[in-house]
């Protein structure tokens, strides 16, 4: 019998207990041993909960208990979660986490700590919720040089954007809905400003390069300021607006960024809607492959945590290889990245904008909207676009968007 402790009995933590209990027979069979949740650490008591008798408030009890071999960290944050994870790994207890903030901030250190204590630090749930993506990168695509990863990596923002696009829903109302469904971070700014997707692409980029991609150096824009009219233009152009997290090899460096993009109907990520996430991976031998599923929510995320628990149970006393060194990856600045851009200008500014962006600029108009038009620029660098865009002071409407090929 392997005994487990769950740290944090919130959305994901309560899901972990539920998955282990509901799928007990299958989970035990696949783990090769019986698993039992012995402790649940939380700040509160849960007297009416069926597992309320396992709730404790002192991490020291878990640390001192030699029966506990695996800990699920589903508290979140980089304070106590970091402290408890380090103590657990130093004590030789494996840790499985959904906490991408901690993985992005301290991944290499915690992996090294796990290795030196002959245990494991696993984080399948930290990216893409229930989608298996960490394990494919670590185990399945090991013969590949990964050239690019493009993902919809945040369930909350994809839920918001889809509801705005297909139902004309209001931003604030849908954000509230995403919070009620347990998708959003404690501070939803992390979702809507792109910080959560940034941490996730930092984790994937680190696994892609084998070096540490510092999330603080990744160019990040969120979805705030996207207006219903942007979706009207997108529809007119046969496109969709998605918050993409991108990482690719560019001249020996890693180019990583998070931003809302217009993507056309032929793009594999176009039909990824609602809380669903998808990760599109390009390997140099395999070519393209895509991983799709629920990117947030209690049971999908918990399922990924429990898959890690099973992996740890199968590898007691053995270290599962993960190639993520502390050495910093070299990041490319985005200024020289080239693409097309979409902007909205007041009608009186259209000629000036076209003169600035060049002859290949395409115009898009919306029926019944004479006061403005949309423009799609030719392919140009971020730096050149920014320079011309800056010269349109007072003539632009809303925010500009990037186009993903
Ligand atoms: P919740 O806020 O629902 O759960 C966190 C739980 O941990 C709460 O019950 C909280 O108690 C408890 N907690 C916080 N600090 C401590 C502490 N020091 N000691 C004991 N208990 C503590 O968050 P989620 O379950 O949504 O998220 C957990 C982690 O998983 C986060 O890192 C999140 O980013 C990540 N994640 C979440 C997903 C989701 O869909 N929700 C999906 C993928 C990852 P209290 O409420 O009293 O503060
Ligand atoms: N808040 C996150 C999201 C949870 O919406 O994707 C899953 O990591």
């Amino acid at each position: 019998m392997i005994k487990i402790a769950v740290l944090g009995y919130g959305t994901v933590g309560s899901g972990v207990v539920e998955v282990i209990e509901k799928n007990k027979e299958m989970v035990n069979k696949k783990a090769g041993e019986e698993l039992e949740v012995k402790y649940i650490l939380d700040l509160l008591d849960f007297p009416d909960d069926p597992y309320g008798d396992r709730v404790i408030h002192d991490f020291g009890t878990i640390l001192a208990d030699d029966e506990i071999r695996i800990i699920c960290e589903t508290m979140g944050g980089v304070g106590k979660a970091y402290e408890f994870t380090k103590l657990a790994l130093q004590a030789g207890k494996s840790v499985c986490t959904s906490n991408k903030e901690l993985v992005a901030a301290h991944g290499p250190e915690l992996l090294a700590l796990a290795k030196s204590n002959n245990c494991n630090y696993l984080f399948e749930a930290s990216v893409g919720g229930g989608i298996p993506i960490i394990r494919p990168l670590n185990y399945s695509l090991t013969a590949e040089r990964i050239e690019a990863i493009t993902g919809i990596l945040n369930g909350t923002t994809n839920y918001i954007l889809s509801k705005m696009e297909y139902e004309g829903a209001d931003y604030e109302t849908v954000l509230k809905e995403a919070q009620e469904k347990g998708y959003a971070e404690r501070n939803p700014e992390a979702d809507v400003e792109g910080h959560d997707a940034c941490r996730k692409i930092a984790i994937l980029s680190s696994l892609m390069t084998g070096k540490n991609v510092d999330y603080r150096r990744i160019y990040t824009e969120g979805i705030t300021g996207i207006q219903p009219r942007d979706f009207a233009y997108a529809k007119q152009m046969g496109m969709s607006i998605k918050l993409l997290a991108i990482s690719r090899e560019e001249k020996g460096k890693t180019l990583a960024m998070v931003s809302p993009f217009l993507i056309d109907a032929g793009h594999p990520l176009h039909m990824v809607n609602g809380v669903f996430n998808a990760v599109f991976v390009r390997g140099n031998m395999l070519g393209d492959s895509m991983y799709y599923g629920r990117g947030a929510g209690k049971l999908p995320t918990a399922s990924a945590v429990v898959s890690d628990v099973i992996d740890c149970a199968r590898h007691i006393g053995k270290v599962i290889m993960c190639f993520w060194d502390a050495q910093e990856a070299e990041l490319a600045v985005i200024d020289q990245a080239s693409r097309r851009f979409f902007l909205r200008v007041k009608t009186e500014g259209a000629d000036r904008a076209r003169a600035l962006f060049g002859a290949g600029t395409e115009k898009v108009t919306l029926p019944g909207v004479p006061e403005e038009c949309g423009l799609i620029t030719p392919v140009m660098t971020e730096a050149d676009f920014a320079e011309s865009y800056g010269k349109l002071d007072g003539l632009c409407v809303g925010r500009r968007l990037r186009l993903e090929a």
Side-chain angles (χ1 to χ4, degrees):
M1 161 115 45
I2 295 178
K3 304 230 172 167
I4 297 163
V6 175
L7 314 185
Y9 201 45
T11 305
V12 182
S14 61
V16 166
V17 177
E18 190 175 329
V19 171
I20 291 176
E21 292 299 327
K22 275 202 176 146
N23 283 355
K24 201 178 196 110
E25 207 178 313
M26 183 61 68
V27 166
N28 290 345
K29 196 170 164 193
K30 291 191 174 161
E33 268 205 65
E34 197 178 332
L35 304 182
E36 186 189 281
V37 176
K38 183 169 181 182
Y39 303 113
I40 298 167
L41 183 86
D42 203 275
L43 300 170
L44 302 177
D45 282 310
F46 297 83
D48 302 326
D49 188 277
Y51 310 104
D53 57 338
R54 303 181 203 187
V55 173
I56 60 165
H57 308 295
D58 174 26
F59 180 69
T61 306
I62 295 170
L63 199 60
D65 189 333
D66 289 338
E67 274 192 334
I68 299 292
R69 307 297 300 272
I70 302 169
I71 292 179
C72 300
E73 188 273 292
T74 51
M75 282 165 39
V78 288
K80 286 284 170 197
Y82 181 39
E83 185 189 326
F84 294 169
T85 299
K86 281 197 292 187
L87 288 169
L89 295 173
Q90 279 158 357
K93 300 177 195 292
S94 288
V95 176
C96 308
T97 189
S98 56
N99 183 348
K100 54 269 162 142
E101 197 181 350
L102 184 59
V103 178
H106 298 289
E109 179 200 350
L110 296 172
L111 282 165
L113 194 56
K115 193 173 174 188
S116 61
N117 288 285
N118 226 21
C119 57
N120 287 293
Y121 183 57
L122 301 187
F123 45 91
E124 182 60 72
S126 68
V127 181
I131 307 176
I133 182 61
I134 304 296
R135 207 164 276 113
L137 287 175
N138 263 345
Y139 292 176
S140 319
L141 300 176
T142 40
E144 293 291 317
R145 199 182 81 238
I146 306 295
E147 295 174 338
I149 297 179
T150 308
I152 292 176
L153 298 183
N154 184 269
T156 301
T157 46
N158 207 46
Y159 183 83
I160 294 172
L161 292 174
S162 303
K163 287 268 183 182
M164 288 177 81
E165 178 171 349
Y166 294 107
E167 296 172 24
D170 154 77
Y171 176 90
E172 293 297 337
T173 312
V174 208
L175 171 59
K176 208 160 160 269
E177 249 178 70
Q179 287 175 295
E180 283 161 9
K181 286 175 183 281
Y183 302 155
E185 294 304 306
R186 195 156 269 234
N187 175 3
E189 205 177 286
D191 297 297
V192 297
E193 295 301 344
H195 306 310
D196 179 73
C198 166
R199 291 182 179 114
K200 291 167 174 168
I201 197 67
I203 296 170
L204 296 183
S205 304
S206 300
L207 297 177
M208 173 173 119
T209 59
K211 295 180 183 163
N212 190 48
V213 172
D214 184 343
Y215 72 93
R216 290 164 298 201
R217 294 178 54 218
I218 295 179
Y219 179 86
T220 300
E221 282 180 26
I223 64 162
T224 47
I226 294 179
Q227 300 168 351
R229 194 166 278 178
D230 294 313
F231 291 100
Y233 279 106
K235 190 173 178 195
Q236 178 89 339
M237 298 184 287
M239 295 187 185
S240 190
I241 303 172
K242 301 288 183 197
L243 183 71
L244 298 186
I246 294 178
S247 181
R248 61 171 187 253
E249 268 183 19
E250 193 117 319
K251 296 179 189 142
K253 295 185 180 175
T254 304
L255 179 75
M257 70 183 294
V258 174
S259 165
F261 278 84
L262 278 159
I263 58 176
D264 71 34
H267 195 288
L269 297 173
H270 183 268
M271 281 313 293
V272 177
N273 289 316
V275 74
F276 282 83
N277 282 191
V279 192
F280 186 58
V281 179
R282 177 162 297 160
N284 68 333
M285 296 292 144
L286 170 69
D288 296 337
S289 58
M290 194 157 115
Y291 309 82
Y292 170 83
R294 288 182 186 275
K298 175 175 168 167
L299 294 177
T301 310
S303 170
V305 176
V306 176
S307 77
D308 281 346
V309 171
I310 292 171
D311 222 0
C312 287
R314 287 172 174 176
H315 292 90
I316 295 282
K318 286 188 223 130
V319 176
I320 299 167
M321 297 289 277
C322 178
F323 297 96
W324 180 353
D325 286 346
Q327 187 193 348
E328 289 298 323
E330 218 182 324
L331 294 193
V333 286
I334 71 159
D335 288 16
Q336 292 313 308
S338 293
R339 64 182 88 257
R340 302 179 83 191
F341 295 84
F342 171 79
L343 65 154
R344 287 163 50 197
V345 289
K346 293 178 186 164
T347 305
E348 63 269 28
D351 288 343
R352 173 152 171 70
R354 290 179 92 169
L356 282 167
F357 292 116
T361 305
E362 290 169 28
K363 188 173 174 183
V364 192
T365 52
L366 290 178
V369 184
E371 69 276 15
E372 63 166 86
C373 67
L375 295 173
I376 302 175
T377 72
V379 172
M380 60 200 313
T381 64
E382 291 269 352
D384 287 345
F385 174 80
E387 193 186 335
S388 298
Y389 191 67
K391 291 177 183 162
L392 288 171
D393 200 24
L395 291 172
C396 294
V397 193
R399 57 179 287 186
R400 51 98 182 94
L401 292 168
R402 297 177 169 87
L403 266 72
E404 170 69 350

